Amino acid sequence: MTLLDGITSRTIETDRLNVSLLERAGDDPGAAAERTVVLVHGNVSSSLFWQEIMQDLPRDLRVIAIDLRGFGGTDRLPIDATRGVRDFSDDVHAALQALGIPAAHLVGWSMGGGVVMQYALDHPVLSLTLQAPVSPYGFGGTRRDGTPLTADDAGCGGGGANPDFVQRLAAGDESADAPTSPRSVFRSSYVAEGYTSDHEDIWVASMLTTSTAEGNYPGDATASENWPGFAAGTTGVLNTMVPKHFDVSGIVDLDAKPPILWVHGTADAIVSDASFFDLNHLGAVGVIPGWPGEDVAPAQQMVSQTRDVLDAYRAAGGQVTELELEGVGHAPHLERPAEFRRALLEVIGYIGHPADPAPPTEAIIISSSD
């Protein structure tokens, strides 16, 4: 019931864990690397979210969507957050090795953007598409230049998850009865106001595959003398992206720089310079009491940080294309699929291919430079 037409699912064995993935019926398993696209989902989601774009991409591409550990049908092994997102990126590499894919075009959404950037630091890639990616300096707790606000990453990591949301995930709540239900969170945070889909039940089912077992989502926390009273732990999903464990700004120094496409919406509630998932921003606007002020606990400027790192990447010789979509939320591939598809095909070098159809008629905002 959760698979769209032409999409198939299977689980493969790797030397690390069993990995679940989606493919398209009829794709050539022997396709060349330059015709292989690998899609990596974000936090509290799974490969199911990629199905519409998988259907729409040209048929002579090989398209694969991978479930990260603890999501979808992949093994629910604990996550060592002290390695940043390397447990995830190493799992993706193991899956591609098992499939006989030495390199590919990688697409990462949100946390998945951090995963594919880490992958590029460790392994060859042909291109990177970053959709609403986590900042290269992690999620929360840094100044614009990536400097941590506190040594213990106060206010970051597993302690920042809403307990009622976690409980509803664990219970498989499909309702929209509360603001903290997965369906309500999808509507308010994953997409911009006005987005509707006949497949919303699938997107919610994808969120509900998130493992809330120990070592998975959200992760542990420690007590802190710093506001708001807790700090990052060492296990679980949210702790993989705290500043002391995660920093992929080193992509600027890669010798071989793959072309990068950065896609983001101006109405993103999760990844922005004023994120409603950043406790410092919530303190600044009065949602969380006791905020110690801008000098001590400024909101993380997530989009600005990404732009700064990609500007440095460009200055160091890399190619960067930015697609900023007005009024779009955290899921451009769902909200504006034609623009997303066109930009993705451009970065992988497919535009102009004889099999490529005419460009979409929708307006597209792209700035590109080498």
Side-chain angles (χ1 to χ4, degrees), residues 267-311:
D268 192 334
I270 298 176
V271 175
S272 78
D273 284 0
S275 169
F276 285 98
F277 288 71
D278 177 5
L279 269 64
N280 286 351
H281 174 65
L282 294 180
V285 297
V287 174
I288 300 176
W291 182 61
E294 183 74 20
D295 291 342
V296 176
Q300 184 188 14
Q301 298 178 64
M302 303 177 186
V303 172
S304 295
Q305 288 177 332
T306 296
R307 179 167 287 113
D308 290 346
V309 169
L310 294 183
D311 283 348

Side-chain angles (χ1 to χ4, degrees), residues 99-180:
L99 293 168
I101 300 172
H105 300 282
L106 299 187
V107 181
W109 175 26
S110 194
M111 180 181 75
V115 173
V116 301
M117 283 189 275
Q118 182 63 58
Y119 190 105
L121 288 172
D122 298 331
H123 309 287
V125 300
L126 301 183
S127 71
L128 291 176
T129 294
L130 310 175
Q131 175 180 251
V134 61
S135 162
Y137 299 114
F139 199 96
T142 58
R143 301 188 187 277
R144 175 142 176 189
D145 65 358
T147 304
L149 299 178
T150 64
D152 60 357
D153 290 339
C156 302
N162 184 297
D164 192 60
F165 175 66
V166 177
Q167 184 176 2
R168 288 173 183 274
L169 275 180
D173 181 5
E174 299 179 356
S175 75
D177 294 342
T180 51

Side-chain angles (χ1 to χ4, degrees), residues 2-3 7-14 16-23 37-51 54 63-77 79 85-96 99 106-109 111-112 115-116 119 202-211 216 237:
T2 57
L3 294 181
I7 305 298
T8 64
S9 174
R10 63 174 169 136
T11 299
I12 61 172
E13 293 183 6
T14 78
R16 291 176 56 80
L17 77 173
N18 295 319
V19 175
S20 176
L21 50 87
L22 299 184
E23 299 169 295
V37 178
V38 177
L39 307 166
V40 181
H41 66 81
N43 190 17
V44 191
S45 63
S46 75
S47 59
L48 294 174
F49 267 99
W50 291 116
Q51 292 184 88
M54 292 177 73
V63 185
I64 300 165
I66 292 178
D67 284 334
L68 300 175
R69 70 167 63 192
F71 300 96
T74 292
D75 286 347
R76 273 110 167 93
L77 298 183
I79 299 159
V85 296
R86 289 180 183 88
D87 273 359
F88 293 136
S89 61
D90 287 351
D91 293 345
V92 172
H93 182 253
L96 297 189
L99 293 168
L106 299 187
V107 181
W109 175 26
M111 180 181 75
V115 173
V116 301
Y119 190 105
I202 298 177
W203 313 150
V204 174
S206 176
M207 297 172 70
L208 292 174
T209 68
T210 302
S211 172
N216 291 131
V237 175

Side-chain angles (χ1 to χ4, degrees), residues 25 28 67 69 74 131 139 160 187 217 223 226 237 243 260 312 317-318 331 333 337 346 355:
D28 178 9
D67 284 334
R69 70 167 63 192
T74 292
Q131 175 180 251
F139 199 96
R187 292 175 179 175
Y217 182 85
N226 300 303
V237 175
I260 292 178
H333 74 291
E346 285 187 345

Side-chain angles (χ1 to χ4, degrees), residues 245-264:
H245 299 154
F246 177 90
D247 183 346
V248 293
S249 62
I251 60 170
V252 169
D253 300 318
L254 286 173
D255 291 332
K257 291 181 169 61
I260 292 178
L261 167 65
W262 175 31
V263 184
H264 61 108

